[in-house]
């Protein structure tokens, strides 16, 4: 709580983030005027605490003020639980929930129709069924390859998620895997063996898309409870066209999410 | 390169790590004497650069000096590549490689035979076929639940990895899933829905074991290219006993690893 202009207590959200080292400033960090405190010394190994001058230890600070109850909720630590969704759960809980929500995916259509971001397109396959558009993800500023992040958006509009996929989508998925790798190698020089290529379940929007991230980048959402490797998805569908209409899928939900409440109401949590 | 006592150039490895904020020092960070630079202001949102005094921005520093070529190699950024291992690759490349190495897993046997860490056991099922021992992982200091990490070691000694599993192991795997969850809930108060329970492929040692980590903890090795949810493994084996003797599996290898060289020699990279 901080004191507002009116003098009464008003809530604020303050976010503090340590930023990565900048390579060109590391030599400054190691100069003599930096305070160094020896902690431990054993043979050739030693550890220190280094206390850098303020200008070399910037902290990124974000302030929301005045903050509403919603802002506070968003940033308070929330309990997260795993759901093991059977196909029946999907049909009885998840799908009705998705249909009741009117998520707008106009921004996806704008990209597909080149009404937006047309200059950002890295690769496109124009086929209306088996085609897609590859664009940099908003989270990637394209300044360095370390956190490379691209998204392939499919052209067909009927596929909401992994749950809708069958063997009929294999040509589309194979196009994304093959052409996506080639396009990234050509434009950014990153070979296919250094790309993590995967789908999310649950996705954050229900128009099928595939994530391409640098293998060395610990990308948010690349952990086993959310990510499904495209190569595995292809093999599963090739073995059994109805794989994703049979199998239970695991995902995490925050306890304050509406879908979590739906699973609770159904006695599935 | 630093100048050694002999006056000639000698290599050193210097590792700098920013440490997490300490909750009790955050209020100090926000006090007036900390320099704050406004970057952006838009409605209720604003961002700043905050320049903390040295004593509030400690950097953990580790020095290896003098450093050998091996030390330098260990810390140089290494290329990592994904391998897509077919069952044939496993039989022709991976398995012969594993058999040629004599990895010692005596420490695992010591735990199973209670010659070591007997006081650390959280739960055990004594069945020689379908039994296991649950112990805290070395990476977890047990001081806080945020980074909870336990390992279930199976009693049977013939199962090297995921690749050896068939439907005959379902009772064992179901015991681990069920009893493991119950034991963690009982001892640590963490419910099963907040545990990420998975196997690694490739594992770091070839005696079957299962990882239990806190869902909120971004544990190393929990990403999609290495982790396999135990619940998925059980469902796959229940559908097809030979699932892991048919399916291609993806994993990452550093370019300097011997197994990577074997895949290269076989023309599979």
């Amino acid at each position: 709580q901080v004191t507002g202009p009116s003098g009464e207590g008003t809530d604020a959200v303050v976010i503090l983030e340590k930023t990565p080292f900048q390579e060109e400033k590391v030599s400054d960090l190691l100069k003599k005027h930096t305070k160094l405190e020896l902690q431990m010394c054993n043979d050739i190994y030693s550890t220190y605490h280094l206390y850098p001058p303020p200008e070399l230890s910037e902290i990124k600070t974000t302030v929301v003020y005045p903050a509403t109850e919603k802002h506070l909720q968003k940033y308070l630590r929330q309990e997260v639980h795993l759901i093991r969704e059977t196909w029946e759960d999907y049909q009885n809980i998840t799908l009705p929930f998705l249909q009741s929500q009117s998520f707008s995916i106009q921004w996806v259509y704008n990209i597909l129709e080149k009404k937006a971001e047309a200059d950002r397109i890295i690769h496109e396959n124009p086929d209306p069924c088996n085609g897609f558009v590859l664009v940099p993800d908003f989270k990637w500023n394209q300044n360095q390859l370390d956190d490379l992040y691209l998204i392939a958006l499919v052209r067909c509009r009927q596929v909401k998620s992994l749950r809708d996929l069958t063997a009929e989508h294999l040509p589309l998925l194979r196009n994304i895997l093959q052409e996506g790798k080639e396009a990234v190698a050509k434009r950014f020089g990153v070979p296919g063996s250094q790309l993590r290529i995967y789908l999310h379940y649950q996705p954050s929007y229900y128009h099928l898309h595939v994530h391409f991230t640098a293998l060395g980048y610990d990308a948010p959402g690349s952990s086993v409870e959310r990510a499904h490797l495209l190569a595995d998805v292809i093999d599963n569908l090739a073995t059994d066209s109805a794989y994703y209409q049979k199998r239970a899928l695991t995902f995490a939900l925050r306890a304050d999410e509406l879908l979590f409440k739906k699973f609770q109401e159904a006695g599935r949590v």
Side-chain angles (χ1 to χ4, degrees), chain A residues 107-118:
Chain A
W107 67 272
V108 174
Y109 299 154
N110 288 345
I111 293 175
L112 294 175
E113 293 163 9
K114 301 202 185 172
K115 290 179 184 162
E117 299 186 54

Side-chain angles (χ1 to χ4, degrees), chain A residues 29-30 34-37 48-53:
Chain A
L29 263 181
L30 299 176
T34 306
K35 195 184 150 199
L36 206 58
E37 223 173 67
Y48 299 84
H49 285 174
L50 184 153
Y51 298 96

Side-chain angles (χ1 to χ4, degrees), chain A residues 124-133 153-156 172 175-176:
Chain A
E124 62 177 319
N125 176 325
D127 189 281
C129 263
N130 299 325
F132 68 98
V133 168
L153 298 163
V154 304
R155 289 207 180 274
C156 60
L172 165 64
N175 283 348
I176 295 175

